[in-house]
Amino acid sequence: MRQKKLSDYLLRFAVLLAVILLVLRLTCPSQTRIACVGDSITYGATIRDKSHDSYPAQLGTMLGRKYSVKNFGASGYTLQESCDRPYTSHKRYKKSLDFKPDVVLIMLGTNDTKPYNWISTEAFQDDYRQLILSYQELPSRPDVILMTPASVFPENFNPAKPYKIRAGVAGEAAKAVRELAKELGLPFIDIHEVTASHPEFFLQDGVHPNELGAKAIARTVYEALKDWGY
């Protein structure tokens, strides 16, 4: 008799638990997972409070609780595999895959502009296609959104010289991203154009945006996502 009562109790508990889980699923829909892939500009280098003021952090605040925005920026890393620090060799690349994103925002290319890294537009685009594919093949089937690298102002700021990042080549990389987005039919956000007339965003070293610049990038991404129905 006691065993039957225990069985009945366990059965009722299991049913009640299933109902609770169903209600929670219906009333608390899962968050949209957004992976921000990039270099030090995404990471928030030179920004004092990265967890609050980097562009991914500010984007997450703008989007609200229905979204989980994660920062997978890796300082000094490149898009091209032949460069000194390819992004795919960094642990944050693997973490971005494991995140099972619904949306992937890619903003790479600034470090590719260094004299010993840049090969050609074709080489840049070839490796970009492979990076895009690595995300598209995930079980979560994320939407991949391309972002042009930001403008840089090394000619105006002496501290930028050690980076060896070239403004002209950054323009070439941005053009390459635009062409690739058109070729593949992918949405893209032109951060290069948005930042081109705002050297005040890069006052510290001509390369890394300050909190104001990160906010402008986040706002641009936020408005694009909303326009596209996210």
Side-chain angles (χ1 to χ4, degrees):
M1 182 67 70
R2 288 181 180 178
Q3 186 174 2
K4 184 176 184 302
K5 286 183 178 181
L6 178 61
S7 298
D8 290 343
Y9 172 78
L10 291 175
L11 178 61
R12 291 173 184 174
F13 177 77
V15 171
L16 179 61
L17 181 61
V19 171
I20 291 173
L21 291 174
L22 179 60
V23 170
L24 287 174
R25 184 176 297 179
L26 293 175
T27 57
C28 302
S30 59
Q31 293 176 308
T32 298
R33 298 182 301 277
I34 300 179
C36 296
V37 170
D39 48 39
S40 57
I41 294 175
T42 297
Y43 175 67
T46 75
I47 293 176
R48 181 174 297 179
D49 188 356
K50 300 175 186 63
S51 63
H52 183 266
D53 293 323
S54 65
Y55 111 70
Q58 295 198 57
L59 175 63
T61 299
M62 292 175 187
L63 287 170
R65 295 181 180 178
K66 293 182 179 180
Y67 300 81
S68 175
V69 181
K70 296 293 183 181
N71 187 340
F72 296 103
S75 294
Y77 281 75
T78 67
L79 185 140
Q80 295 176 96
E81 294 294 318
S82 60
C83 293
D84 59 342
R85 293 179 176 181
Y87 183 76
T88 54
S89 70
H90 197 281
K91 62 182 179 181
R92 292 199 169 198
Y93 168 65
K94 176 65 165 51
K95 288 183 177 181
S96 72
L97 297 173
D98 293 341
F99 182 52
K100 299 178 182 178
D102 300 302
V103 178
V104 179
L105 297 165
I106 302 177
M107 186 168 63
L108 284 164
T110 299
N111 293 300
D112 296 72
T113 72
K114 297 174 181 179
Y116 47 81
N117 279 336
W118 187 258
I119 300 173
S120 66
T121 294
E122 291 73 20
F124 182 79
Q125 291 178 330
D126 285 345
D127 284 346
Y128 214 137
R129 290 186 188 92
Q130 292 305 310
L131 181 64
I132 292 168
L133 190 61
S134 71
Y135 288 108
Q136 290 178 328
E137 290 180 337
L138 288 172
S140 59
R141 292 291 187 267
D143 295 329
V144 178
I145 298 172
L146 310 188
M147 296 168 63
T148 58
S151 295
V152 295
F153 301 87
E155 69 279 6
N156 295 334
F157 301 92
N158 289 331
K161 290 182 179 179
Y163 295 124
K164 298 181 179 179
I165 291 169
R166 297 176 290 172
V169 183
E172 291 182 40
K175 182 180 178 182
V177 174
R178 295 185 196 104
E179 293 174 349
L180 191 60
K182 184 176 181 181
E183 172 196 322
L184 300 177
L186 295 175
F188 86 100
I189 303 171
D190 203 336
I191 299 301
H192 194 268
E193 181 178 351
V194 168
T195 56
S197 58
H198 292 283
E200 73 274 13
F201 291 164
F202 305 88
L203 290 176
Q204 182 159 334
D205 61 15
V207 174
H208 299 99
N210 52 26
E211 292 86 343
L212 184 63
K215 183 177 182 179
I217 294 172
R219 175 60 60 181
T220 301
V221 175
Y222 170 81
E223 291 176 353
L225 291 175
K226 289 305 177 182
D227 285 345
W228 293 327
Y230 290 101

